[in-house]
Amino acid sequence: MEHSPYLAHISATGHTQNIFEHLYGTASLAKEFARPFSGEEQAELAGLAHDIGKYSAAFQARLHGGPVTDHSTAGAAACWQRRQLFAAFAVAGHHGGLPDGGSQADGPEQATLLGRLKRGERGLLEPCEHWQRELSLPQASLPDFVKQPGPEWVFFTRMLYSCLVDADFLDTEAFMEGQARERNKTSMEQLWDRLQRYISGWFPPKGELDRQRCQVLERCIREGESQQPGLFTLTVPTGGGKTVASLAFALAHAKRHGLRRVIYVIPYTSIIEQTAEVFRKILGPENVLEHHSNVLYDLEEEADPHTIRLAKATENWDIPVVVTTAVQFFESLYACRSSQCRKLHNIAGSVVVFDEAQMLPIPYLRPCVWAISQLTAHYGVSAVLCTATQPALGPLFQEFLPGSPIRELCPPDACRWEVFRRTSFHQASRLTWDDLAAQLNAHSQVLCIVNTRKAAQEIHARLDRPGSFHLSTLMCPSHRKRQLTEIRRRLKEGLPCRVVSTSLIEAGVDVDFPAVFRELAGLDSILQAAGRCNREGKRAATESVVTIFEGEEKAPPLFSTAIGAGRLVMARHPDPVSPAAIHDYFNELLDLKGKDAQDKACILPLLQSEFFPFRTVAERFYLIDSPTRTVYIPWGEGAELVERLCAGEGGQKLFRQLGQYGVSVYEKHFASMEAAGELEVLESGAAVLRDPSLYSDKTGLSLKDDSGKGLFI
């Protein structure tokens, strides 16, 4: 239908694309995208049906400036009439997002699928029957795993939807820009060769520590080449080189089984930035996408072909290696909007590494594990839970993946864990802040990690100066980076350096102290803190002491269960770093929380009880469910940026720069500051600190208006 008069798009230069061309172009791409999970026929159907509503006279008028018209429901109705339930949902949501299924009682004014279908039944849709003269819709078969009803239907529909919306975007973009998007053509074999060149200097290893790291690396390579796709754990002690070892497994495994990409899911942006930098060095910057809230690719003043390719890759993850956050990954898997779901089909047929897997949030643990299980069972994903402190998730995976055991890539006999031991532990009694400060002041170099921002500020005020430092999220990122640079310099030069910090420093921050004090917390937090002690292994473990203490404040409610489990396990196990203690801790933690607490938003029961509740689930699933507001601080170079913001300047580049001078505060803290006249809230909604005296060069934003119950890092 090269000369069809029915148009889908008109470009800025006046060129036209007819509907027939767009439907077949979209269907062809969607079919290709769905191949890794045997959804080709469903995706092709959805692609052919998605825009048949554009055959209406009303939509043709819309192309020339007429009013907006609903062109999605017609295709959904056509699929529904053919008993193609999954395609009907995907087509209905391809512009406005996946709708809830609703009920038969819903009227045509409802936004649910069943409500919208009644618009067609009652003649409320614009006539578009001309589509039947140009094409016919196939009767598409289903993959075996969705032939019986179950929550798998919802997951499959979202993946099908991803194929459709990405194909729709790409076909439209190619027409509008006059050419198809340039795709990254680097193969897994080429990435493997780059990794081989990077690690070639590691062999033969020098010294026992390097020998053990190389054993871990070689083991991961062998397992990657020999293991069939599935679910794995990689348990490597701190200092064992798990970042490169896990990449080696992923590339070897992807090369062996024809998998398309490697995706790293990491809890904290500080770890992501370090990991992405390592991967760029090994694999080349053009092959690694760092995708999280702190990364904005400038498409205005500083745009170049490399930046543009990476910016476009954030839309659909069409790049060999993706490094992203757990928030981005899991919230996308439970989202309903096209912008979030568009990338999901590119997770299929990948190796997905969950770094620091023990950080999977307990309130959403069951939905997260269920999603990993779905990807592993039906979408060609090999999932790797990678950590030094492996959570006890075996029973949960057995519930969702019966008969599919988790395979450990580096069992205890694969390396000598004692070689990596760098610290010893001492359990102290309860300490007042004065007593604690006195012990800290007795050290020339020491790190103390506490559970609240208030405690960090109070202890810091008691430390000897010079050489005392404070770290918390009440300090803007630029301030924290400057502090850490000075801390590292003093540590390296042997100068006095006493640091009191909240748990943010545990999140992969590369510092090396001869002694660490950690307020009682969950065992995983304590072991993360221990990773900041004798990190480079230059001192004897017996001389590198991690002191565990209880402070004078009552533990925050948020931490109480983890603290309780940690206290119980450390009473049972004299060596808290032993695999037995770690396994016992996570079992205890999950038992204390209980099954209901592992799905606090009742996501999985909702999938079982409701008819395709896409919108409802998306509204409930938020890994970070405590809303915060950003306050921009006129500190250092941020003063000039804040001035420009207040003068009315905007744009992506300015906000990217301002991100280094923002502090996230909880709603109560924000409201108190606003009521006290300490903030200026601009028309854009951005807030700036009006009184610079409320921001200290030592400790950051004042806590005097903070409720003290929310943000602890």
Side-chain angles (χ1 to χ4, degrees), residues 97-98 154 158 161 328-344 613-615 617-619 621:
L98 285 165
V154 178
R158 196 179 280 104
Y161 175 64
Q328 176 75 239
F329 185 84
F330 287 109
E331 288 189 0
S332 295
L333 284 171
Y334 284 97
C336 66
R337 294 185 292 115
S338 61
S339 58
Q340 289 178 283
C341 292
R342 184 177 166 187
K343 58 184 168 288
L344 296 183
F614 292 110
R615 299 250 164 156
V617 165
E619 290 167 0
F621 192 93

Side-chain angles (χ1 to χ4, degrees), residues 75-115:
C79 292
W80 183 267
Q81 290 163 6
R82 289 160 176 76
R83 299 179 182 273
Q84 296 288 349
L85 175 70
F86 307 109
F89 271 100
V91 170
H94 81 272
H95 275 297
L98 285 165
D100 279 348
S103 70
Q104 293 295 341
D106 291 348
E109 74 284 356
Q110 299 294 113
T112 63
L113 179 65
L114 292 178

Side-chain angles (χ1 to χ4, degrees), residues 4 196 207 238 274 408 418 489 598 627 664 680:
S4 169
Q196 290 300 299
T238 300
Q274 293 178 46
E408 171 59 52
E418 66 272 14
R489 184 187 73 83
Q598 297 167 31
S664 295
E680 180 179 356

Side-chain angles (χ1 to χ4, degrees), residues 208-337:
E208 184 60 24
L209 182 60
D210 284 344
R211 185 157 37 253
Q212 294 303 316
R213 287 171 175 161
C214 287
Q215 283 190 18
V216 171
L217 176 62
E218 290 177 318
R219 170 85 188 203
C220 285
I221 291 172
R222 288 197 303 272
E223 294 294 298
E225 293 171 340
S226 63
Q227 291 282 1
Q228 291 300 307
L231 180 62
F232 304 93
T233 54
L234 175 57
T235 310
V236 177
T238 300
K242 68 180 173 64
T243 299
V244 175
S246 60
L247 177 65
F249 167 82
L251 293 178
H253 195 65
K255 181 168 65 76
R256 169 69 176 80
H257 295 288
L259 302 181
R260 304 180 299 167
R261 63 186 45 81
V262 175
I263 300 171
Y264 267 73
V265 182
I266 301 176
Y268 296 119
T269 54
S270 59
I271 309 176
I272 287 178
E273 290 163 356
Q274 293 178 46
T275 302
E277 187 56 39
V278 170
F279 290 171
R280 282 191 286 265
K281 182 178 179 181
I282 298 172
L283 305 174
E286 71 279 8
N287 296 312
V288 179
L289 174 69
E290 184 180 352
H291 188 198
H292 55 85
S293 59
N294 287 355
V295 176
L296 292 174
Y297 295 99
D298 189 351
L299 297 182
E300 299 169 2
E301 299 177 23
E302 301 174 8
D304 58 36
H306 172 65
T307 303
I308 292 169
R309 278 195 297 272
L310 288 176
K312 288 184 174 182
T314 63
E315 300 168 351
N316 65 355
W317 287 3
D318 187 15
I319 197 165
V321 178
V322 179
V323 188
T324 190
T325 60
V327 171
Q328 176 75 239
F329 185 84
F330 287 109
E331 288 189 0
S332 295
L333 284 171
Y334 284 97
C336 66
R337 294 185 292 115

Side-chain angles (χ1 to χ4, degrees), residues 552-604:
E552 66 178 43
E553 284 186 354
K554 185 179 179 182
L558 181 65
F559 295 165
S560 58
T561 305
I563 289 172
R567 182 185 286 113
L568 285 171
V569 169
M570 284 189 288
R572 296 175 191 153
H573 298 271
D575 181 9
V577 78
S578 68
I582 294 166
H583 190 270
D584 193 9
Y585 167 73
F586 283 110
N587 275 332
E588 193 70 50
L589 184 61
L590 295 181
D591 286 345
L592 287 172
K593 286 287 188 181
K595 185 175 179 179
D596 291 344
Q598 297 167 31
D599 185 5
K600 76 168 192 176
C602 297
I603 301 295
L604 297 186

